[in-house]
Amino acid sequence: MKPDRILLEKNKLELLKNIMEEIPPELELSNIEFEGPFIVIYVRNREAIEKYLDLAQNIAKKVRKRVVIRVSPENRLPPEEAKELIKLLAPKDAGIDPNGIYFDEALGEVWVKVEKPGYLVGRGSMMRHLILAKTGWRVIPQRSSPLESKTLYEVLNNVLKQSGYRVEYLRRLGERIHRDVIYRNNYVKVTGLGGFREVGRSAILVETRESKILLDLGLNTGTIDDPNKAYPFLEIDSLRLEELDGVVVTHAHLDHVGLVPILYKYGYRGPVYVTKPTRELMIVMLKDLIDVTRRSGRYIPFSERDISTMLLHTITVDYDEVTDVAPDIKLTMYNAGHILGSAIVHLHIGMGLHNIVYTGDFKYSETRLLNKANTVFPRVETLIMEGTYGATLQESRIQAEQQLIDIVKRTSDRNGVVLIPVFAVGRGQEIILILNEAMKNGRIPRMNIYVEGLVNEVTAIHTQYPEYLNKSLREAIYNGENPFTSEWLKPIETGVARPDIIEDKPSIIIATSGMLTGGPAVDYLRLLASDERNSLVFVGYQAEGTLGRKIKDGAREITMVVENKVEAIPIKLEVYSIEGFSGHSDQRELLEYARDVSPRPRKILLNHGEPTALSTLATLLRSDKELKSKGRPEVLVPNILDTINLT
């Protein structure tokens, strides 16, 4: 046996010894397993669990790991018997769906569809512990929603079908994560593989002597036909799949998650860490990407099979939850305010060696959907911050909403159709809320709002996770209301443009994609473009190289392939761009965020912005008086493939 292996076993035995000292004999310890980031304690005497409600929490504090208590398989009630007892034990107000109870026999968990998930957990997890003690099954509540998400139950079914494999995988991963640190003289390096001095294909490699973590792996959809511009640089020597400890995805937009499945196509079998909403949203976005590229005759280098494999290896992390992802790296995710489930990533590396905060995309102000981004962290030495709008001041939210309402009024007065291309995640839901409220309050005439199918599925996912939304939406959903529906909202389920809809005038069409890189919005544009009574309204960022950017910059004739023929389309409808709806922070908010991050970082690395935006923001940060007064950080604007040694 190698010396480093002996050291690993020695430290692992010490960890197990510390855990065993805390377990009361009455529980009848069966075994202890490392399952991914969790240490799982299996016990035989399930009924004794009621006496030790704080046991997992106390052990977690002692060993500084995530700890779960489960009951050994032979001591669990049979699923049918457990199902009836769960229905009996659960508070009547919980609203359990009797047909929505699913057992994961490999993990000893039971997924329960319920109107009020908190009732099945209980204060201090007392109800969950009671059900575990009485049945031997650990409850995982799933919220019932007035808009059912097909994707959530697809995720559930796939995981349950492969639960045996998933346990084996988690235990292999657990051994890797919880191995001891071998090298005492460590370093921390970051390399930008994409998304530096550009918008799109975000990817950052974080390296230490012990481990390698990938932050995001995106795709530039505006240049998808040119792999040299669309894909991050994955062929560097320091990125070998067998050495990669994990991938952390900040959110579900394709420029951050769009190429993750390719890792699984080429043999990666490690974890992807995401928040729960991001898990479902990234499945939606990736499958839609495959569908759109297939229909347009373009190429994408992975399949739905690779997405399914990725899902099996996905591990969800809640906000503010510290999770071991490598022997020398702890991950914590915080609210980014960008889209549902979007996260700012905090990496604690080594025993206080270095702390990285990576913002991903973030919004540092309240929106109709989300709270503003988090600024307070345990420690920060390096801040990697996006600068998409580093050279731009956006309109206020109030001005943006008024501008949209005015455009809808004018278009309605001339009996036209308003086409709003949206990102399915975030922008689509925000526009629905604004138009819904404006029609209820009489600020615009009531007319049909046609909402394309992908947006509807994403909206359903929003209603599954109200705890990630702002207070007013959260409380509305908790009270049984659905702010995303009304009599004039008309779902379109086909996913392709319907010519009959444009004959309904006046009306509004909300469709993907937000940059006109494909999808039904492009087809509706072709049908609406030649009528000057209609309006096209951009409500999000238009990246270089996209059709949306060309039209925004003044192109008044475009070419499209229609029935295998190239057709010239005149752009006669009115074109508007409203910047105030962006899920990104503008220049003012970026500066404010850098000032407010606590504690103050030593270095700020700027990424996710075109060169002018980043250089402008860097100049402002370097000269900012408030930053200077508190010890100005070093500000860097790296190029793609630059490697920066942070220690």
Side-chain angles (χ1 to χ4, degrees):
M1 183 179 287
K2 294 181 179 180
D4 60 337
R5 181 66 182 170
I6 295 170
L7 179 64
L8 184 151
E9 292 297 334
K10 179 181 177 182
N11 284 274
K12 183 177 175 183
L13 289 172
E14 184 68 25
L15 174 61
L16 291 171
K17 178 184 175 184
N18 288 334
I19 294 170
M20 291 174 68
E21 287 174 351
E22 299 296 317
I23 300 172
E26 185 181 3
L27 285 173
E28 299 178 21
L29 176 66
S30 173
N31 60 314
I32 300 173
E33 297 285 354
F34 296 89
E35 296 181 3
F38 293 96
I39 296 175
V40 183
I41 299 168
Y42 287 89
V43 300
R44 295 188 181 90
N45 186 358
R46 65 171 192 264
E47 293 185 355
I49 290 172
E50 281 189 79
K51 298 180 183 179
Y52 304 101
L53 296 181
D54 297 330
L55 180 61
Q57 184 178 351
N58 293 338
I59 295 174
K61 286 180 181 177
K62 180 178 180 179
V63 301
R64 301 176 70 183
K65 305 283 185 182
R66 291 174 68 182
V67 176
V68 172
I69 295 176
R70 294 197 182 118
V71 174
S72 298
E74 67 274 12
N75 298 99
R76 301 170 195 153
L77 289 181
E80 282 305 312
E81 191 176 337
K83 181 177 180 179
E84 294 307 313
L85 189 51
I86 289 169
K87 290 190 287 185
L88 186 64
L89 292 170
K92 291 181 180 178
D93 292 341
I96 285 182
D97 178 354
N99 298 315
I101 301 177
Y102 310 92
F103 290 86
D104 184 340
E105 299 197 27
L107 282 176
E109 294 178 342
V110 53
W111 297 43
V112 182
K113 190 174 174 183
V114 58
E115 292 176 7
K116 299 177 180 177
Y119 282 54
L120 272 193
V121 177
R123 189 181 299 275
S125 292
M126 288 189 68
M127 179 53 64
R128 173 180 273 163
H129 279 95
L130 177 63
I131 293 173
L132 180 63
K134 297 299 184 185
T135 69
W137 296 88
R138 187 169 184 267
V139 167
I140 308 294
Q142 296 296 319
R143 179 177 299 279
S144 296
S145 167
L147 296 174
E148 292 293 348
S149 166
K150 298 174 185 175
T151 308
L152 175 60
Y153 289 97
E154 177 187 331
V155 167
L156 171 61
N157 289 332
N158 286 346
V159 169
L160 290 179
K161 285 177 184 177
Q162 298 287 335
S163 62
Y165 168 81
R166 190 164 164 84
V167 170
E168 293 174 6
Y169 149 67
L170 288 172
R171 290 180 179 175
R172 289 196 306 271
L173 176 62
E175 293 293 330
R176 180 167 180 148
I177 289 174
H178 298 289
R179 71 185 190 269
D180 190 54
V181 172
I182 297 172
Y183 301 105
R184 302 304 173 186
N185 297 317
N186 210 342
Y187 59 75
V188 182
K189 297 191 295 187
V190 296
T191 304
L193 307 182
F196 282 75
R197 293 182 181 265
E198 64 180 5
V199 176
R201 61 172 178 176
S202 289
I204 301 171
L205 179 64
V206 178
E207 295 177 75
T208 75
R209 288 191 75 186
E210 293 285 344
S211 50
K212 296 182 181 182
I213 298 290
L214 203 54
L215 303 178
D216 288 334
L217 188 60
L219 176 72
N220 190 340
T221 56
T223 58
I224 200 169
D225 295 322
D226 183 355
N228 292 321
K229 294 180 180 179
Y231 306 163
F233 289 82
L234 301 179
E235 61 273 21
I236 63 172
D237 291 339
S238 54
L239 180 59
R240 295 187 176 92
L241 294 185
E242 66 274 12
E243 297 176 356
L244 189 60
D245 287 274
V247 182
V248 181
V249 171
T250 57
H251 65 284
H253 280 153
L254 290 173
D255 59 333
H256 291 257
V257 73
L259 215 60
V260 174
I262 200 174
L263 299 177
Y264 293 93
K265 178 176 181 177
Y266 288 101
Y268 175 65
R269 291 299 181 267
V272 175
Y273 297 96
V274 297
T275 63
K276 290 186 180 74
T278 298
R279 177 185 58 189
E280 276 84 85
L281 293 173
M282 71 181 183
I283 301 297
V284 172
M285 299 299 288
L286 290 166
K287 288 192 172 184
D288 182 66
L289 175 65
I290 289 175
D291 183 52
V292 168
T293 51
R294 277 177 184 163
R295 285 195 278 112
S296 60
R298 300 156 87 188
Y299 173 72
I300 195 75
F302 57 83
S303 67
E304 288 198 11
R305 177 181 294 179
D306 302 313
I307 296 174
S308 296
T309 305
M310 177 191 74
L311 174 60
L312 277 181
H313 296 84
T314 298
I315 294 174
T316 59
V317 178
D318 292 332
Y319 287 156
D320 306 315
E321 185 175 66
V322 181
T323 300
D324 290 274
V325 295
D328 61 338
I329 299 179
K330 293 181 183 291
L331 162 71
T332 312
M333 289 183 161
Y334 297 90
N335 171 46
H338 177 62
I339 62 171
L340 181 74
S342 59
I344 292 174
V345 170
H346 179 274
L347 297 180
H348 175 79
I349 301 173
M351 297 298 290
L353 175 66
H354 204 81
N355 291 261
I356 296 173
V357 168
Y358 168 49
T359 66
D361 295 352
F362 75 99
K363 182 68 175 174
Y364 197 45
S365 64
E366 305 287 332
T367 70
R368 280 184 173 265
L369 284 174
L370 306 170
N371 295 321
K372 69 178 182 180
N374 180 80
T375 55
V376 179
F377 307 94
R379 282 183 55 180
V380 187
E381 279 77 48
T382 297
L383 171 65
I384 305 175
M385 185 173 83
E386 69 126 321
T388 313
Y389 284 106
T392 306
L393 293 174
Q394 298 171 0
E395 302 163 298
S396 72
R397 229 56 180 189
I398 294 173
Q399 290 173 318
E401 291 188 15
Q402 187 59 53
Q403 192 176 347
L404 177 61
I405 287 167
D406 290 343
I407 293 167
V408 171
K409 279 183 182 175
R410 288 197 298 270
T411 309
S412 173
D413 288 345
R414 58 178 183 259
N415 206 35
V417 177
V418 180
L419 174 61
I420 308 176
V422 295
F423 306 116
V425 184
R427 204 61 38 80
Q429 290 68 44
E430 190 157 9
I431 297 303
I432 286 171
L433 290 173
I434 293 164
L435 295 175
N436 221 356
E437 183 182 281
M439 288 188 188
K440 286 178 181 176
N441 296 338
R443 296 179 68 192
I444 54 178
R446 294 191 177 185
M447 65 189 84
N448 287 330
I449 304 172
Y450 293 99
V451 183
E452 179 256 324
L454 184 63
V455 180
N456 293 313
E457 172 59 18
V458 170
T459 302
I461 295 170
H462 278 68
T463 65
Q464 291 292 157
Y465 296 105
E467 62 271 25
Y468 285 83
L469 301 172
N470 64 28
K471 184 179 179 181
S472 61
L473 289 178
R474 185 167 63 243
E475 289 183 352
I477 294 171
Y478 285 164
N479 291 328
E481 302 171 26
N482 187 348
F484 298 102
T485 58
S486 67
E487 60 188 86
W488 43 82
L489 278 163
K490 308 293 183 185
I492 309 171
E493 299 298 341
T494 59
V496 295
R498 278 175 40 191
D500 60 304
I501 284 175
I502 67 169
E503 300 303 321
D504 179 10
K505 300 174 182 176
S507 65
I508 301 167
I509 301 172
I510 298 173
T512 58
S513 71
M515 298 185 193
L516 298 178
T517 52
V522 176
D523 297 327
Y524 281 114
L525 175 63
R526 178 174 60 84
L527 297 171
L528 295 167
S530 60
D531 190 337
E532 43 192 42
R533 294 175 299 172
N534 301 329
S535 296
L536 172 65
V537 186
F538 293 117
V539 291
Y541 184 78
Q542 303 299 308
E544 283 189 2
T546 63
L547 178 57
R549 181 66 167 262
K550 291 173 185 174
I551 295 174
K552 179 185 173 183
D553 288 348
R556 289 302 173 260
E557 184 175 277
I558 58 174
T559 56
M560 291 186 185
V561 178
V562 182
E563 296 179 354
N564 297 320
K565 295 179 182 178
V566 177
E567 185 176 318
I569 309 291
I571 304 296
K572 294 184 179 179
L573 80 180
E574 292 192 0
V575 178
Y576 301 91
S577 182
I578 307 176
E579 303 296 342
F581 290 125
S582 177
H584 295 270
S585 300
D586 72 352
Q587 184 187 88
R588 186 186 302 106
E589 292 167 352
L590 289 166
L591 289 170
E592 187 180 355
Y593 187 83
R595 295 175 191 134
D596 290 349
V597 166
S598 177
R600 178 63 49 81
R602 298 174 196 160
K603 279 188 175 71
I604 298 178
L605 277 55
L606 299 180
N607 79 328
H608 200 285
E610 293 168 9
T612 302
L614 296 185
S615 61
T616 300
L617 180 59
T619 300
L620 291 171
L621 289 169
R622 289 169 184 146
S623 61
D624 188 81
K625 291 181 180 179
E626 187 173 337
L627 285 175
K628 182 178 181 180
S629 68
K630 297 178 182 178
R632 182 184 298 139
E634 180 184 8
V635 180
L636 303 174
V637 186
N639 292 297
I640 291 179
L641 294 183
D642 283 354
T643 295
I644 299 170
N645 193 330
L646 299 179
T647 52

